[in-house]
Structure formats: structure tokens, C-alpha cells
Amino acid sequence: MNLTKHAAKRSQQRGIPELVIDLLLRFGRRDHDHRGAEIVYFDKASRKHVERYCGSLIGKVNEHLDCYAVVADEVIVTVGVRYERVRH
């Protein structure tokens, strides 16, 4: 999936590796933001999937599992770090 220039810049500024973005898109939960995009984040179930998938590498990835991505039209618009839980 492609990143916009904004998303690439934000991932670099916020220290979110491309590996975590790939894991987020593969295992993350997707919720609509009611503005035409989706918010992709790690919930409890997706964190368990990542843990099984990564195995011993989970220690390196674990600190980045509070991130999210906003996806619109198959393009990642932005990425960031969650400080509050996602409300449904």
C-alpha cells in the first residue's frame, strides 16, 4: 500500500517503522471514521495475532503497537500514536 508524502514524513517524525505499518495493515482492526476513510489500529485480538506472527521479535515491535493509520482509497493518509482508546 502506498503512503502519501504526509504519511511518510509523519512516520519518520514519530519513529514508526515500515515493518509496524505493514503489520498494522495486515493484522490491525479497521473502523470507519464516518468521513470516507478507515482508522486501522491494534486492538487486543490483533496484538495477539502479531505476537504469534513475530515470535521472538515481539520485544522489538511491542513498543510500537499503540500506533494507528488512516487509510483512504487504498492509500495511507497519515500515521500516528494513540494516547487514548478508540471509541466506537
Side-chain angles (χ1 to χ4, degrees), residues 12-40:
Q12 182 181 15
Q13 287 174 342
R14 295 169 180 163
I16 301 172
E18 287 187 37
L19 172 66
V20 174
I21 295 173
D22 290 339
L23 291 172
L24 185 63
L25 296 175
R26 184 170 184 168
F27 297 111
R29 179 179 172 157
R30 295 174 179 260
D31 284 342
H32 293 284
D33 71 346
H34 304 291
R35 296 179 188 153
E38 288 182 323
I39 300 172
V40 186

Side-chain angles (χ1 to χ4, degrees), residues 5-17 78-81:
K5 290 180 184 178
H6 175 78
K9 188 174 185 177
R10 292 295 179 251
S11 68
Q12 182 181 15
Q13 287 174 342
R14 295 169 180 163
I16 301 172
T78 191
V79 295
V81 178

Side-chain angles (χ1 to χ4, degrees), residues 36-78:
E38 288 182 323
I39 300 172
V40 186
Y41 61 95
F42 293 111
D43 63 349
K44 190 173 183 178
S46 60
R47 286 174 189 252
K48 290 198 182 278
H49 286 294
V50 170
E51 188 176 329
R52 283 192 299 253
Y53 183 77
C54 289
S56 63
L57 293 176
I58 193 63
K60 303 282 186 193
V61 176
N62 200 21
E63 67 185 64
H64 299 289
L65 294 184
D66 288 333
C67 69
Y68 68 91
V70 177
V71 179
D73 298 325
E74 299 297 320
V75 176
I76 300 173
V77 178
T78 191

